[in-house]
Amino acid sequence: MKGIVLTAMDDEIYEVLSDNEIFADLFNGALFGGNQIIRPDMLEQENEKKVMRVGKEGGRRVILRRIRDVQKLSGLRESCLAVVLAAEGQRNVHYAMPVRCMLYDAMDYTRQVERMVKKRREEGKLEKGAEYLSGMKREDRLLPVITIVFYYGEEQSWDGPLCLHDMLDIPPELEPWAACIQDYRVNLVCSGTVESSHFRTGLREVFELLPLLKDKEGMKKFLETRKREFMHLDAKKGWLVSKFLNVPALKELKENEKGEVNMCTAIEEMLEERETQGIERGIEQGEIRVNQLIEVLLRQSELDEAYKQIKRAVTDRDYQKKLFDKYGI
């Protein structure tokens, strides 16, 4: 099996989600309405590597291998009850996410069954019949698996499927019985699906800022109303925000003697830089379109006629737009 190489960005997100306090806050805020169901001290790191035998092909055993982003095991209420929690970080929309999550969860449940069967067989206490055939007793139970998809892309507009049925081309003849076709729902976590006040770590600021990254005026108004808070932001919160917002200026912030960072200036600089880059890209794209138009006119017309059209297109913006539409540029 070849090793999976993490990009610097992937590595940073893995580092953040591996923090028990942040991981617990992500689940408590996103799924449990801010109720502290998962405690950081109850979390144990699980192996993210998944391996499952799925049969044979061409006489060779087929092994399915997958790697989750971050997975942990959590106890509940000081008891022996537990739940398997997994988080998939997405900076981009994934159009096969329901199948991806379904596969990960199925591999987790399969692994639990295999471990339980192995234990029961070693004990040698299985009754003949159903118990011996399945390798499990009727009272045996599996740990529930909860997977969330944390989408932190700048667009914050997930246009991909949110359940397996969204991916299926169900024939009209089967639509009345669509409920018979098993579905699988994605627990999508993004700024549009959560209430930022439900979070206790820097995830609150992450969800507040993400939808404003492409709204310069909205970001300015937000920072103006929260200026004091963001000028004296806890250093760990600032560190967390810098990872998910992917703003280079934020990553260079230095904390003061009080363990605080000033994020206002960094965000304002980021907005100005992006505006300049946007103008430069607009100019560059405009130049490319004009050059393409000139090339088309020189191919389509006699030299004198092409010169006249080019001259008019340069001075008459309406005429230029008509030519762009005419030649699909």
Side-chain angles (χ1 to χ4, degrees):
M1 177 183 176
K2 294 183 178 179
I4 293 186
V5 179
L6 296 176
T7 65
M9 189 179 299
D10 292 332
D11 196 33
E12 288 181 348
I13 300 307
Y14 177 85
E15 178 187 6
V16 170
L17 293 181
S18 294
D19 183 291
N20 282 355
E21 182 184 10
I22 296 171
F23 190 89
D25 192 41
L26 179 60
F27 276 83
N28 290 330
L31 299 186
F32 308 133
N35 293 300
Q36 302 303 293
I37 304 299
I38 307 299
R39 292 211 324 256
D41 62 308
M42 289 182 170
L43 292 171
E44 296 179 13
Q45 189 68 31
E46 282 266 287
N47 188 352
E48 291 91 3
K49 294 181 180 180
K50 310 296 170 191
V51 180
M52 184 171 69
R53 295 184 294 274
V54 293
K56 291 186 176 181
E57 183 176 316
R60 300 180 63 184
R61 179 176 292 174
V62 178
I63 305 294
L64 188 62
R65 293 182 173 88
R66 293 292 185 272
I67 297 183
R68 281 193 185 271
D69 285 353
V70 180
Q71 180 165 317
K72 295 179 184 287
L73 180 69
S74 174
L76 296 175
R77 289 193 233 161
E78 310 292 348
S79 71
C80 59
L81 295 176
V83 58
V84 178
L85 306 173
E88 296 297 314
Q90 287 294 130
R91 197 175 293 274
N92 299 298
V93 175
H94 194 304
Y95 294 119
M97 188 53 73
V99 171
R100 180 177 170 183
C101 290
M102 180 173 63
L103 177 59
Y104 284 152
D105 291 355
M107 294 179 78
D108 276 321
Y109 285 123
T110 299
R111 183 177 62 167
Q112 289 187 54
V113 170
E114 290 176 344
R115 288 177 175 175
M116 191 172 293
V117 169
K118 181 181 179 181
K119 178 182 177 182
R120 291 301 189 191
R121 300 250 187 241
E122 290 175 347
E123 292 174 345
K125 297 181 179 180
L126 293 171
E127 300 290 338
K128 291 183 178 180
E131 285 191 2
Y132 191 83
L133 179 65
S134 62
M136 296 174 61
K137 292 182 173 292
R138 188 196 315 177
E139 63 268 21
D140 287 338
R141 294 293 182 268
L142 306 178
L143 302 180
V145 178
I146 303 176
T147 299
I148 65 173
V149 176
F150 183 6
Y151 175 50
Y152 49 92
E154 289 189 13
E155 296 295 337
Q156 281 298 284
S157 177
W158 182 277
D159 63 354
L162 288 173
C163 65
L164 183 60
H165 276 200
D166 289 344
M167 297 181 64
L168 301 182
D169 185 10
I170 301 177
E173 297 83 355
L174 291 182
E175 286 181 356
W177 295 277
C180 298
I181 303 172
Q182 296 298 330
D183 201 358
Y184 206 85
R185 185 175 61 86
V186 172
N187 290 316
L188 180 66
V189 177
C190 63
S191 61
T193 65
V194 301
E195 173 56 57
S196 61
S197 62
H198 289 165
F199 298 91
R200 298 187 175 187
T201 67
L203 288 173
R204 173 179 298 188
E205 285 74 19
V206 169
F207 286 117
E208 288 174 334
L209 294 172
L210 272 175
L212 299 174
L213 280 178
K214 292 196 172 182
D215 180 3
K216 181 179 179 181
E217 294 305 316
M219 179 70 84
K220 283 184 175 180
K221 290 179 181 178
F222 174 80
L223 290 178
E224 188 62 34
T225 59
R226 305 274 294 278
K227 192 168 185 176
R228 180 172 178 78
E229 176 184 343
F230 278 88
M231 286 181 67
H232 302 278
L233 194 67
D234 175 77
K236 185 173 182 179
K237 288 186 176 183
W239 168 80
L240 194 158
V241 170
S242 73
K243 302 300 184 183
F244 283 105
L245 268 60
N246 193 30
V247 179
L250 296 179
K251 298 176 182 180
E252 298 172 1
L253 289 177
K254 304 295 182 182
E255 63 180 278
N256 60 25
E257 64 279 0
K258 296 181 180 180
E260 302 171 339
V261 292
N262 182 350
M263 295 193 65
C264 286
T265 302
I267 293 177
E268 289 168 354
E269 289 177 356
M270 177 268 293
L271 292 174
E272 295 299 330
E273 181 180 350
R274 289 191 173 194
E275 184 176 40
T276 301
Q277 291 175 347
I279 293 173
E280 291 175 349
R281 281 196 297 268
I283 293 173
E284 182 180 353
Q285 291 172 356
E287 291 175 346
I288 292 173
R289 294 182 71 197
V290 170
N291 290 338
Q292 290 175 338
L293 178 60
I294 292 173
E295 290 179 6
V296 170
L297 292 175
L298 289 173
R299 288 199 306 267
Q300 299 288 339
S301 311
E302 294 293 332
L303 188 59
D304 289 344
E305 180 61 27
Y307 175 75
K308 291 178 182 178
Q309 292 185 75
I310 292 170
K311 183 177 180 180
R312 182 179 174 186
V314 170
T315 58
D316 187 338
R317 297 298 297 274
D318 291 336
Y319 181 65
Q320 184 186 95
K321 186 177 183 305
K322 289 181 181 179
L323 292 178
F324 281 148
D325 294 339
K326 178 179 179 180
Y327 295 110
I329 298 174

